[in-house]
């Protein structure tokens, strides 16, 4: 075989470099998945045994259901106005989604020009996984934004943003049992691992309120940084992580003393805006979406230091893990899609088009 000359080798190299510039071949591009599929494909998706993704779309007011094997959209289900917080029942047979009649006020919007709230639209939509449909909407106080589910699945603890309250909702009767005043703009809600207490963030006041449902009162309020929205507890319940959106940090909380004990800087405040925090099942990794920062960060919980990040899309908000914790999903509001991240390679492998303004995402086994 004839050995190529130096000029031929240089020429070949130049062609490869030019091809790389124009094709971006250094990394495979994420696969794009759309919503169009044939009737046969829809039937196959309906019978798929793969776990499913459920995405709440704040602007289009619906729920997108995605097959995780093909990353095809199975169905889109109307929910009502402004669906945001999304969580499953302990038996994984029901998906609860907070809906609200409060108008959407984004950055730069003059709130005095917005229409009045439609309080008749407030509630928690109850989606039956087997029937693949909404079976009822229950009362949950004014402007429910987010919530968590009690360990036995009988109660919801709901943040009522407009009225600065946290409410206890009885699932069976669909009624509010009691509401408690707290800091302004409550959002993130998380039940402690032992199920005894509920932590609720106040965005405006930069605080956590600790609710004791059995005692029927808020027992503690403490500072955690600017604009907290999300909480993740270590399995033993002794520590928690809370985002501090406007500080560019994740806050570490001592849950025994119920106070902030440290911070994990992620980037320049205002550029990196931590939003959702999510622990891996073994609690060795903490995943953090960064809003305008476009990335999801991975933090080693042994050292409490960031170890990697991946750019996932425009303003990632809600995040979720696959049942085997090998894949991460991010809901990207402005681009109306969900990114699929292979955690082994720390790379986006797919982007799935969903409704308008995806806010939250969860993954459930079939």
């Amino acid at each position: 075989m004839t050995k190529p000359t130096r000029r031929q080798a240089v020429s070949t190299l130049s062609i490869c470099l030019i091809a790389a510039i124009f094709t971006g071949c250094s990394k495979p591009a994420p696969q794009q998945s759309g919503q169009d599929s044939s009737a046969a494909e829809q039937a196959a998706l309906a019978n798929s045994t793969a776990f499913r993704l459920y995405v709440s779309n704040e602007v289009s007011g619906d729920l997108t259901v995605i097959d995780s094997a093909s990353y095809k959209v199975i169905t889109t289900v109307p929910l009502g106005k402004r669906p945001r917080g999304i969580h499953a029942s302990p038996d994984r047979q029901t998906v609860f989604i907070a809906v609200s009649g409060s108008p959407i006020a984004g950055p730069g919007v003059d709130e005095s020009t917005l229409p009045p709230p439609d309080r008749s639209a407030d509630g928690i939509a109850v989606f039956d996984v087997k029937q693949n449909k909404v079976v009822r909407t229950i009362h949950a106080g004014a402007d429910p934004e987010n919530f968590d589910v009690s360990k036995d699945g009988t109660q919801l603890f709901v943040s009522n943003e407009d009225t600065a309250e946290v409410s206890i909702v009885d699932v069976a009767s669909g009624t509010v049992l009691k509401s408690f005043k707290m800091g302004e703009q409550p959002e993130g809600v998380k039940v402690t691992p032992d199920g005894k207490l509920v932590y609720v963030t106040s965005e405006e006041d930069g605080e956590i309120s600790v609710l004791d449902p059995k005692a029927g009162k808020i027992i503690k309020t403490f500072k955690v940084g600017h604009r907290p929205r999300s909480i993740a507890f270590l399995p033993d319940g002794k520590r928690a992580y809370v985002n501090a959106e406007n500080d560019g940090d994740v806050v570490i909380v001592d849950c025994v003393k119920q106070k902030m004990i440290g911070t994990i800087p992620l980037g320049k405040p205002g550029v990196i805006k931590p939003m959702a925090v999510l622990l891996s099942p073994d609690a060795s990794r903490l995943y953090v979406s960064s809003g305008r920062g476009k990335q999801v960060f991975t933090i080693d919980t042994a050292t409490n230091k960031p170890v990697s990040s991946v750019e996932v899309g425009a303003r990632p908000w809600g995040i979720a893990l696959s049942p085997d914790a090998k894949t991460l999903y991010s809901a990207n509001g402005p681009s109306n899609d969900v990114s699929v991240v292979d955690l082994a390679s720390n790379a986006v492998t797919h982007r799935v088009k969903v409704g308008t303004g995806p806010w939250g995402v969860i993954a459930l086994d079939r």
Side-chain angles (χ1 to χ4, degrees):
M1 184 174 182
T2 306
K3 186 176 179 180
T5 67
R6 182 179 177 184
R7 178 176 293 179
Q8 288 172 326
V10 170
S11 176
T12 301
L13 177 60
S14 300
I15 292 169
C16 289
L17 288 173
I18 292 168
I21 290 170
F22 283 98
T23 64
C25 61
S26 58
K27 260 191 182 180
Q31 294 184 34
Q32 301 285 337
S33 297
Q35 298 192 21
D36 296 330
S37 56
S38 67
E41 285 178 320
Q42 285 294 324
L45 291 173
N47 294 321
S48 171
T49 58
F51 68 88
R52 292 178 174 180
L53 303 175
Y54 298 87
V55 184
S56 58
N57 301 302
E58 182 178 9
V59 179
S60 54
D62 47 32
L63 179 75
T64 302
V65 184
I66 301 168
D67 174 63
S68 66
S70 62
Y71 291 118
K72 294 280 189 180
V73 171
I74 297 170
T75 188
T76 300
V77 180
L79 293 174
K81 294 184 178 179
R82 207 177 177 188
R84 288 177 286 178
I86 178 169
H87 303 279
S89 59
D91 65 6
R92 321 294 276 176
Q93 296 304 301
T94 303
V95 177
F96 299 105
I97 311 101
V99 291
S100 169
S102 291
I104 299 173
V109 174
D110 181 357
E111 294 192 19
S112 66
T113 65
L114 295 173
D118 176 8
R119 295 280 74 104
S120 68
D122 294 341
I124 303 291
V126 182
F127 179 88
D128 185 282
V129 169
K130 287 185 178 177
Q131 298 183 62
N132 214 39
K133 69 177 185 180
V134 175
V135 292
R136 62 181 178 135
T137 299
I138 61 180
H139 182 57
D143 188 27
E145 178 166 3
N146 212 337
F147 60 95
D148 202 4
V149 187
S150 65
K151 298 298 179 181
D152 62 6
T154 63
Q155 295 182 333
L156 305 178
F157 305 103
V158 182
S159 58
N160 303 115
E161 186 175 18
D162 282 359
T163 55
E165 293 176 309
V166 55
S167 296
I168 302 176
V169 175
D170 179 72
V171 173
S173 64
T175 58
V176 175
L177 300 178
K178 194 170 184 180
S179 296
F180 307 86
K181 281 291 182 183
M182 57 167 291
E184 293 295 323
Q185 294 185 26
E187 180 171 339
V189 185
K190 193 72 174 177
V191 177
T192 56
D194 62 9
K196 294 180 179 179
L197 300 174
V198 183
Y199 279 42
V200 188
T201 69
S202 164
E203 289 182 62
E204 185 68 24
D205 297 345
E207 297 174 341
I208 295 283
S209 291
V210 183
L211 171 66
D212 184 335
K214 189 174 181 180
K217 62 181 179 180
I218 291 175
I219 60 172
K220 179 83 171 182
T221 298
F222 60 94
K223 294 288 185 181
V224 289
H226 297 90
R227 295 196 76 79
R229 294 177 180 268
S230 181
I231 307 157
F233 289 102
L234 289 176
D236 62 8
K238 293 181 179 179
R239 289 195 178 182
Y241 296 95
V242 181
N243 78 301
E245 179 188 349
N246 286 0
D247 300 331
D249 294 339
V250 170
V251 171
I252 307 169
V253 171
D254 183 326
C255 299
V256 177
K257 297 180 180 179
Q258 293 178 342
K259 69 175 186 178
M260 171 180 163
I261 58 172
T263 60
I264 305 170
L266 294 182
K268 184 179 179 181
V271 176
I272 299 300
K273 305 192 70 152
M275 306 298 283
V277 291
L278 176 67
L279 278 166
S280 61
D282 65 2
S284 67
R285 293 288 187 267
L286 179 75
Y287 303 103
V288 187
S289 63
S290 65
R292 295 178 192 173
K294 300 182 180 180
Q295 302 168 70
V296 171
F297 289 83
T298 301
I299 294 170
D300 182 338
T301 58
T303 62
N304 284 328
K305 292 182 179 179
V307 292
S308 65
S309 67
V310 56
E311 186 168 320
V312 293
R315 206 206 67 175
W317 194 296
I319 50 177
L321 289 172
S322 59
D324 64 7
K326 293 181 180 180
T327 308
L328 181 139
Y329 307 96
S330 72
N332 310 315
S335 55
N336 305 323
D337 61 14
V338 168
S339 292
V340 180
V341 179
D342 173 58
L343 292 173
S345 61
N346 201 40
V348 175
T349 60
H350 295 77
R351 296 187 191 279
V352 186
K353 281 294 179 184
V354 291
T356 308
W359 194 98
V361 55
I362 61 172
L364 293 183
D365 272 321
R366 296 280 283 148

